[in-house]
Amino acid sequence: MDKLLKLNFFELFSIEPIFNINLEQIQNNMRELQKQYHPDKYSNQAIEVANQSLILSSYINEAYRTLASPLLRALYLLKLRGVEIDLVHETKFSHAFLLEQIEVREAIDEARDNQDFDQLLAIENKLQAKEQKLVQQVDELFTNDKLELIIEPIKQLSFYVKLQQLVASSIAEI
């Protein structure tokens, strides 16, 4: 089990370290790994073995969450290539992008305050479309190995993911 913990997430799932991955394949690989190393399977073993299976199971879940999310996958893939992005402190964006973010946030607040479920769904659909466009852009930049251009779309993708989470929580409140 120790050997598996030393593998990167792509190696763990036996897939090529690229951005455009087959999500069904990683889901199937995750299920196979969890079947093999689930802590319940080792509950009657020595405490060290049971603890290792628990740690490995958590690692498998973290790997799946990371690879299943385009944003987290992009950040992880960049990290493997020696590039780290600080999404918390690197917040310099174009004026147009920042204005758009403010307008979207105001639209979400207004729809939530008015409990306008249809408006929240419309906003969610627009955000998903923008996210998808950025995911395609990030995929192209990874494919063409243009890492120097990839930071801005990843930072923007991070904003759209956060806005979608805000819409989802607003919908849940209604």
Side-chain angles (χ1 to χ4, degrees):
M1 284 191 242
D2 281 346
K3 286 176 21 182
L4 294 174
L5 291 170
K6 293 177 181 168
L7 300 175
N8 71 46
F9 296 159
F10 292 96
E11 293 168 336
L12 182 65
F13 286 114
S14 303
I15 60 172
E16 189 178 350
I18 58 174
F19 183 74
N20 189 4
I21 60 173
N22 181 329
L23 293 177
E24 188 177 323
Q25 180 186 2
I26 67 162
Q27 190 172 37
N28 291 337
N29 291 356
M30 186 269 296
R31 287 182 182 141
E32 286 301 316
L33 287 168
Q34 285 294 7
K35 271 188 210 169
Q36 197 172 352
Y37 299 107
H38 194 277
D40 290 347
K41 199 171 178 180
Y42 296 91
S43 61
N44 295 329
Q45 301 284 322
I47 190 77
E48 296 87 24
V49 174
N51 283 341
Q52 271 191 319
S53 76
L54 184 62
I55 291 168
L56 182 54
S57 181
S58 294
Y59 190 67
I60 293 166
N61 286 336
E62 180 186 352
Y64 177 72
R65 264 192 313 277
T66 299
L67 296 181
S69 160
L71 175 62
L72 297 178
R73 184 180 341 117
L75 293 170
Y76 186 74
L77 199 51
L78 283 176
K79 187 176 177 182
L80 290 178
R81 295 179 181 191
V83 178
E84 298 227 17
I85 300 175
D86 181 359
L87 293 176
V88 175
H89 297 100
E90 290 183 30
T91 56
K92 193 173 182 180
F93 291 99
S94 72
H95 184 70
F97 178 78
L98 291 174
L99 277 179
E100 180 188 354
Q101 298 309 300
I102 292 169
E103 289 172 5
V104 172
R105 282 189 180 272
E106 288 174 354
I108 293 169
D109 289 344
E110 184 180 329
R112 184 185 59 232
D113 291 346
N114 294 330
Q115 297 193 347
D116 190 338
F117 183 77
D118 292 335
Q119 183 60 29
L120 286 169
L121 284 179
I123 294 169
E124 184 177 53
N125 288 335
K126 285 180 186 173
L127 292 172
Q128 286 172 348
K130 289 184 181 265
E131 178 190 18
Q132 202 52 35
K133 188 176 174 183
L134 284 168
V135 167
Q136 288 172 347
Q137 184 181 0
V138 168
D139 181 36
E140 289 172 15
L141 291 168
F142 268 119
T143 300
N144 296 314
D145 204 28
K146 293 188 174 180
L147 300 185
E148 71 278 4
L149 301 176
I150 209 165
I151 292 174
E152 185 68 23
I154 289 176
K155 287 172 28 183
Q156 289 182 9
L157 182 61
S158 172
F159 265 84
Y160 286 112
V161 168
K162 287 178 188 169
L163 288 173
Q164 286 182 68
Q165 291 168 346
L166 181 60
V167 170
S169 69
S170 297
I171 288 173
E173 289 175 11
I174 293 179

